[in-house]
Amino acid sequence: MHHQPLRIAIFGAGSIGCYLGGRLLSAGADVIMIGRPRLRDVFKQHPLVITDYHGFRFQSQLTEPQYSISAEAANGADLVLVTVKSAATAEAGEQLAPWLRAGTPVISLQNGISNADTLKAALPEATVLAGMVPFNVLQQHPGHFHQGTEGHLMAEHHPGLEPVLPWFEKAGLPLELRTDIKAVMWSKLLLNLNNPINALSGLPLLDELSQRDFRRCLALAQQETLDILKAAGIPTVKLTGLPMGLIPPLMRSPDWLFTRLARKMLMIDPVARSSMWEDLEAGRPTEIDWINGEVVKLATSLNLKAPVNQQLVTLVHACEKRPATWRAPALLSALKNA
Ligand SMILES: NC(=O)c1ccc[n+]([C@@H]2O[C@H](COP(=O)([O-])OP(=O)(O)OC[C@H]3O[C@@H](n4cnc5c(N)ncnc54)[C@H](OP(=O)(O)O)[C@@H]3O)[C@@H](O)[C@H]2O)c1
């Protein structure tokens, strides 16, 4: 274990960034969160509170430098975690560039496939690595971030990350280093294909996944993606109890069978929702182009089509302009007819 606390800068401290920041603070790490004035003002009034579905709770009254609105606060960091939404990645890289020492490990803990590459282009001197957050975090009250689902962090294998591993372990956030991160990222994307369906349903994840027609929508998007990944020669890995190829048949199964087979998957907080739902709710642009849009992009590069994923991209963009919710049978028929 390090004697000096590790200095960790978290760039784009919203739901994931504040949650990870709080966890690492609980381990005694020297954490700087960089975000917006909105949250900085929240932390002037409220402590940072971190909870999870196991009953973990940590709270800390942040000092002013601990939540900064300037990228300069990343100066001298030993490790940078980037947790902005995908549309903000290029700007995050540009803002961080003047402040990082050559070789500083920077982990993109974002969904999608291309964020680490976007950061690499802006931070050619840093060691940019792709990473993956499997669980869901929602801001339940101002300054209170709650982990509603299970899983552990993963990042691309690199020897520069070895010294930071004990800090993540101590924070209750074990970080698994992987040599097959591309397969991990695509496998996470397969699970994230539920984000647009959850967002369009307007329901908590548990209510949405309890409706077979919504699960059939998800199965359509996942099967289409699995077929395209196979054509591209990209493997998948098991991130839940099941190999990825068995998830679409599980999703299509009738409620009585699904509730038995997917008991673990359904052990989610009844209030948990996807962050894409949060974005639509707040009138912000979503990450749809970095989720389903990546499938369409990969299909196009292979001269294939991805009509179901393309339709989900179109429907979510429509909801960004004009909020709407979809009932399960109507969404299923919109995807089948795509
Ligand atoms: N939330 C989840 O459950 C979850 C789970 C797994 C993975 N993820 C992934 O993790 C990433 C982050 O998601 P999130 O839910 O944590 O998003 P979020 O709550 O929107 O947090 C990102 C924060 O970064 C801020 N930001 C953007 N550009 C900035 C800049 N240049 N300087 C300072 N702050 C900036 C944003 O402010 P503005 O909104 O004002 O731009 C926002 O507060 C996404 O890729 C998401 O898909 C999320």
Side-chain angles (χ1 to χ4, degrees):
M1 174 68 72
H2 262 222
H3 295 298
Q4 282 288 332
L6 187 75
R7 188 172 173 80
I8 304 174
I10 301 182
F11 191 92
S15 297
I16 291 293
C18 288
Y19 182 78
L20 300 180
R23 278 273 181 178
L24 289 160
L25 275 176
S26 79
D30 175 9
V31 179
I32 296 294
M33 289 166 256
I34 301 164
R36 299 296 196 193
R38 198 176 54 244
L39 260 173
R40 180 200 53 189
D41 294 345
V42 164
F43 291 129
K44 283 183 184 158
Q45 311 261 335
H46 305 271
L48 168 64
V49 180
I50 300 297
T51 55
D52 77 7
Y53 67 110
H54 282 311
F56 172 88
R57 185 183 172 92
F58 170 78
Q59 103 173 41
S60 174
Q61 188 65 54
L62 298 184
T63 60
E64 221 164 310
Q66 282 178 318
Y67 196 96
S68 170
I69 57 167
S70 161
E72 187 177 351
N75 196 0
D78 302 307
L79 172 70
V80 179
L81 308 178
V82 174
T83 57
V84 297
K85 289 267 167 71
S86 302
T89 305
E91 193 190 307
E94 275 165 37
Q95 293 185 354
L96 281 167
W99 308 111
L100 304 190
R101 287 191 302 259
T104 304
V106 176
I107 311 179
S108 154
L109 286 170
Q110 305 167 272
N111 282 331
I113 302 298
S114 55
N115 284 304
D117 287 338
T118 304
L119 283 175
K120 273 179 203 162
L123 299 168
E125 304 279 298
T127 300
V128 178
L129 302 163
M132 194 275 290
V133 178
F135 48 76
N136 186 281
V137 174
L138 199 65
Q139 185 174 184
Q140 285 191 337
H141 307 287
H144 175 184
F145 297 87
H146 179 76
Q147 174 184 342
T149 59
E150 66 169 1
H152 63 268
L153 303 178
M154 294 183 190
E156 198 173 339
H157 187 273
H158 191 279
L161 289 182
E162 298 288 345
V164 311
L165 297 181
W167 291 95
F168 281 83
E169 194 70 41
K170 196 174 167 203
L173 282 176
L175 174 64
E176 186 187 351
L177 302 188
R178 306 277 302 210
T179 50
D180 57 350
I181 199 74
K182 188 173 180 185
V184 167
M185 300 307 285
W186 274 106
S187 302
K188 174 73 199 300
L189 187 140
L190 276 161
L191 302 178
N192 281 334
L193 293 176
N194 189 45
N195 292 4
I197 294 159
N198 178 256
L200 292 167
S201 78
L203 299 172
L205 286 161
L206 190 58
D207 294 347
E208 176 239 319
L209 286 170
S210 302
Q211 295 191 35
R212 189 183 186 188
D213 278 353
F214 279 134
R215 295 198 306 273
R216 284 173 161 143
C217 293
L218 175 55
L220 283 176
Q222 287 176 325
Q223 192 56 58
E224 184 178 88
T225 305
L226 283 165
D227 293 345
I228 291 162
L229 288 175
K230 196 166 173 206
I234 299 172
T236 58
V237 296
K238 201 162 109 174
L239 292 179
T240 62
L242 273 187
M244 285 297 162
L246 292 183
I247 294 182
L250 170 70
M251 289 299 158
R252 286 191 294 267
S253 64
D255 291 343
W256 67 268
L257 187 59
F258 182 75
T259 45
R260 278 179 180 72
L261 297 177
R263 199 173 305 151
K264 215 168 158 210
M265 190 185 291
L266 292 173
M267 278 183 352
I268 45 178
D269 201 302
V271 299
R273 292 171 185 260
S274 73
S275 61
M276 197 173 287
W277 173 84
E278 268 197 311
D279 286 338
L280 283 183
E281 191 68 8
R284 291 187 296 251
T286 67
E287 289 188 303
I288 191 74
D289 291 337
W290 286 268
I291 308 284
N292 304 69
E294 292 280 6
V295 182
V296 176
K297 213 160 73 182
L298 181 63
T300 309
S301 75
L302 298 166
N303 268 328
L304 296 171
K305 293 218 177 318
V308 172
N309 283 285
Q310 178 58 65
Q311 178 75 311
L312 285 163
V313 171
T314 306
L315 295 179
V316 169
H317 279 318
C319 274
E320 287 170 345
K321 295 197 182 83
R322 197 162 167 274
T325 52
W326 282 75
R327 286 184 184 270
L331 186 59
L332 183 59
S333 100
L335 297 187
K336 278 186 169 164
N337 296 331

